[in-house]
Amino acid sequence: MSINVSQPYEVEGTDLIITDEALQFIEELHATFAPTRDELLERRGTAQAEAARTGTLDFDPATKDVREADWKVAEQPPALQDRRVEITGPPAPAKMAINALNSGAKVWLACLEDALSPNWNNLVDAQKNLYESARGTLQFTSPEGKEYRLRDDVTLPTVVVRPRGWHLPEKHIEINGKPAVGALVDFGLHFFHNAKHLHEKGTGPFYYLPKLEHYLEARLWNDVFTFAEEKLGLPHGVVRATVLIETIPAAFCMDEILYELRDHASGLNAGRWDYLFSMIKYFRSSGKKFVLPDRAQVGMTQPFMRAYTELLVKTCHQRDAFAMGGMAAFIPNRREPEVTEKAIEKVRDDKSREANDGFDGSWVAHPDLVELCKDEFTKVLGDKPNQVDRKRPEVSVSVADLLSTGDAEGDVTEQGVRTNLYVATYYTAVWLSGNGAVAIHNLMEDAATAEISRSQVWQQIHNGTVTADTGNQVTRELVDRLLEEEVARLREEIGDADTFAKYFEPAADVVRKLVLSEDYIDYLTLPAYEHLR
């Protein structure tokens, strides 16, 4: 095999992170695991086509023994026992990483996936910041001279790194002339540089695993962990992984996913927005009962979303694994007190519901929400670090419960179509500019919410959906006109003609192709990635 860094420019941290030894480790990971990854991605397409044809999924009868057997995941290390509040965000730029580490959260989910635009600068900068944060040396001085340093008066959060999903490539690093696997690059660089150091400190290496669709994909990660531990001379099981249950097929094999990772498993997370995206994507051609109301109306109390979270808590606690709650999209706006008050009320209700349902902790995206989340979980946990002992034997969730989208309350509106087009275009433009998460109208948008937005529009077109507010059918012609109008609105809001031409015009082209294409494109970030340096 041959590995080549194809990116033509260097950024600060390149000499520290992109070393010959680290690249050799990534090359070995690829030689051992990339072929299996490719096979599993092919399997995804076959499985989705069958689910779309039948309009259903089921628990695998071949793994019934795993679901019914009495087994537990490995005992959790002290650094992960209390996860009542986790702050999420990208590890680049350094200012954001420092703010997350100084937030008072128990865990920082350092996201190299949905919250990070994977241009070369961000890839290297993120890994450099993770390297320095592991050693307590991370600092940053702004152009205005403001200094950002790690606090020494609090216990800093445990860092849990989220690499990219199995489907994403890394075009800046080529192996045998082809783009590397983004997940193996992200994991490989972080593990190679930090695993020994983190293990000696007792604070890692810990990971979040996104976008899994089958327990065989969890088995592959488990094999990667075992290989990496052996390669660096670390004890088996030092890695701990929390899997995001953010695809509908994964909801049907939660036990199996934990079982495959049992020596390395920490728990499961209710990745609510990607889960909603997956529901739309998986059953996009399966009839009108899978057409959901406007995104703003599909919350966690909808029957099919509630069934999924109840099953997740029960499954995790049965196996002594942690059940982690998801992201509330609302964020405070310090310039608008009334908006902030409403956002805080909605987030408080969300976190209170999760704590009382049995979750062991939950996510926030803004430092101002850390104490709120912590308070709501402390009301339930008290001095206990978690509530894994709450087994939820009363919970019984069926196939019909998980797929009860037809029971969702709410309507599809033309205003909702407009909002989806606006958000998908705005987010894609911001992503192309190098930012992976952005506040739009006081909601935190990342790749997952943009995926929901564009997928809903595609599905509505292909199911002849009629909007409740105008009575118009959602057609290609209507969507094309609405998109033009929303792009014109964005042009006026942005103001800067150069910025608009550089980022928003290509973003609008990407979204137009995604929503008007006859064939559904699985991930927004794949065509958008072609525009990144």
Side-chain angles (χ1 to χ4, degrees):
M1 296 188 80
S2 64
I3 187 165
N4 177 55
V5 179
S6 61
Q7 187 60 31
Y9 67 93
E10 288 194 358
V11 297
E12 183 183 354
T14 300
D15 292 343
L16 177 69
I17 299 301
I18 310 298
T19 63
D20 290 344
E21 295 81 5
L23 291 175
Q24 181 181 348
F25 182 62
I26 290 172
E27 193 173 13
E28 291 174 345
L29 288 173
H30 274 76
T32 310
F33 300 110
T36 303
R37 171 262 195 182
D38 294 343
E39 293 172 3
L40 291 173
L41 289 187
E42 287 187 19
R43 186 196 177 284
R44 284 185 179 183
T46 303
Q48 189 280 322
E50 178 63 15
R53 184 186 67 80
T54 61
T56 191
L57 285 167
D58 205 347
F59 299 97
D60 188 350
T63 54
K64 183 180 179 182
D65 289 348
V66 173
R67 293 192 298 275
E68 294 183 352
D70 184 17
W71 52 267
K72 310 293 183 184
V73 302
E75 184 178 355
Q76 299 305 305
L80 287 175
Q81 287 289 335
D82 189 336
R83 303 175 63 175
R84 69 187 67 199
V85 54
E86 301 190 347
I87 190 167
T88 73
K95 174 185 172 181
M96 290 192 69
I98 293 169
N99 286 342
L101 287 164
N102 288 343
S103 68
K106 294 291 187 179
V107 167
W108 172 36
L109 188 164
C111 180
L112 298 168
E113 198 224 12
D114 276 2
L116 186 82
S117 173
N119 61 33
W120 181 246
N121 183 82
N122 284 346
L123 186 150
V124 175
D125 191 37
Q127 291 285 352
K128 177 182 75 71
N129 295 336
L130 289 170
Y131 180 99
E132 293 177 351
S133 70
R135 291 155 179 82
T137 60
L138 182 61
Q139 55 185 292
F140 170 71
T141 302
S142 72
E144 299 77 25
K146 184 175 181 181
E147 293 188 352
Y148 295 82
R149 298 178 183 274
L150 299 179
R151 293 172 62 179
D152 57 10
D153 60 333
V154 296
T155 301
L156 298 180
T158 298
V159 179
V160 181
V161 176
R162 174 163 66 170
R164 279 169 282 185
W166 282 127
H167 63 288
L168 291 171
E170 176 44 63
K171 65 181 179 181
H172 305 109
I173 297 178
E174 294 182 344
I175 298 179
N176 291 342
K178 296 181 180 179
V181 178
L184 295 179
V185 170
D186 293 345
F187 167 78
L189 289 174
H190 180 264
F191 189 90
F192 180 82
H193 288 298
N194 302 292
K196 287 184 178 178
H197 186 81
L198 292 169
H199 174 55
E200 289 169 1
K201 290 172 55 183
T203 58
F206 305 142
Y207 298 94
Y208 259 107
L209 305 180
K211 307 290 190 295
L212 270 61
E213 295 192 10
H214 195 273
Y215 63 84
L216 292 178
E217 297 177 21
R219 180 182 297 175
L220 177 58
W221 268 120
N222 194 70
D223 291 343
V224 169
F225 296 152
T226 298
F227 176 91
E229 289 165 342
E230 291 177 355
K231 198 71 182 176
L232 269 65
L234 291 167
H236 177 73
V238 299
V239 171
R240 285 291 187 275
T242 305
V243 177
L244 292 112
I245 301 299
E246 53 185 355
T247 69
I248 180 62
F252 284 86
C253 58
M254 288 192 268
D255 271 308
E256 293 89 332
I257 286 171
L258 285 173
Y259 182 79
E260 294 293 345
L261 284 159
R262 58 194 180 279
D263 289 347
H264 294 111
S266 180
L268 305 176
N269 169 272
R272 58 178 69 174
W273 304 125
D274 264 305
Y275 186 81
L276 184 55
F277 158 50
S278 175
M279 181 71 83
I280 299 165
K281 179 174 75 170
Y282 226 70
F283 295 107
R284 60 187 181 266
S285 304
S286 301
K288 295 185 177 182
K289 71 175 183 177
F290 288 102
V291 177
L292 294 168
D294 290 350
R295 176 167 72 99
Q297 301 178 49
V298 186
M300 297 308 295
T301 58
Q302 293 282 16
F304 73 99
M305 296 296 279
R306 184 128 185 89
Y308 141 70
T309 56
E310 291 279 85
L311 180 60
L312 188 149
V313 172
K314 179 180 181 178
T315 302
C316 285
H317 288 182
Q318 184 179 356
R319 308 305 180 185
D320 285 355
F322 297 131
M324 304 307 301
M327 178 71 72
F330 301 98
I331 58 173
N333 185 332
R334 293 169 183 174
R335 295 183 298 274
E336 299 182 37
E338 290 185 6
V339 170
T340 294
E341 185 177 348
K342 291 180 180 178
I344 286 176
E345 182 180 347
K346 290 178 178 179
V347 174
R348 190 183 304 281
D349 288 346
D350 183 70
K351 302 311 172 190
S352 175
R353 175 186 51 76
E354 288 181 325
N356 283 286
D357 281 350
F359 281 96
D360 300 293
S362 190
W363 287 4
V364 297
H366 196 286
D368 287 355
L369 298 175
V370 167
E371 289 303 317
L372 180 156
C373 182
K374 189 183 296 184
D375 288 346
E376 291 305 313
F377 274 85
T378 300
K379 288 177 184 176
V380 174
L381 296 177
D383 294 332
K384 293 167 53 181
N386 55 66
Q387 51 183 336
V388 171
D389 58 346
R390 188 177 170 198
K391 302 302 183 182
R392 299 298 309 275
E394 75 282 6
V395 170
S396 177
V397 175
S398 66
V399 171
D401 294 331
L402 289 170
L403 299 179
S404 61
T405 51
D407 297 332
E409 297 181 358
D411 297 307
V412 175
T413 68
E414 191 167 302
Q415 182 56 49
V417 177
R418 283 186 179 276
T419 298
N420 278 342
L421 295 169
Y422 178 95
V423 168
T425 304
Y426 196 147
Y427 176 79
T428 304
V430 170
W431 193 86
L432 292 176
S433 76
N435 291 318
V438 61
I440 303 176
H441 300 158
N442 302 304
L443 296 176
M444 183 57 71
E445 308 285 359
D446 66 5
T449 54
E451 293 281 28
I452 296 170
S453 297
R454 64 93 180 184
S455 297
Q456 279 200 310
V457 176
W458 190 96
Q459 185 187 36
Q460 290 157 359
I461 291 172
H462 286 260
N463 283 275
T465 303
V466 176
T467 59
D469 53 345
T470 65
N472 291 328
Q473 182 176 333
V474 182
T475 62
R476 284 187 175 84
E477 293 73 22
L478 174 65
V479 168
D480 198 27
R481 174 174 65 81
L482 295 180
L483 180 59
E484 285 295 324
E485 293 173 5
E486 292 307 305
V487 170
R489 175 184 168 198
L490 282 165
R491 182 182 292 108
E492 184 176 341
E493 290 177 359
I494 299 305
D496 187 315
D498 290 341
T499 298
F500 192 85
K502 188 174 183 180
Y503 301 119
F504 285 81
E505 287 180 1
D509 288 342
V510 168
V511 172
R512 181 176 287 105
K513 291 173 184 175
L514 288 169
V515 298
L516 299 182
S517 171
E518 182 62 34
D519 297 322
Y520 181 88
I521 298 169
D522 280 344
Y523 291 98
L524 178 158
T525 46
L526 290 176
Y529 190 47
E530 298 305 312
H531 295 269
L532 279 181
R533 284 189 66 191

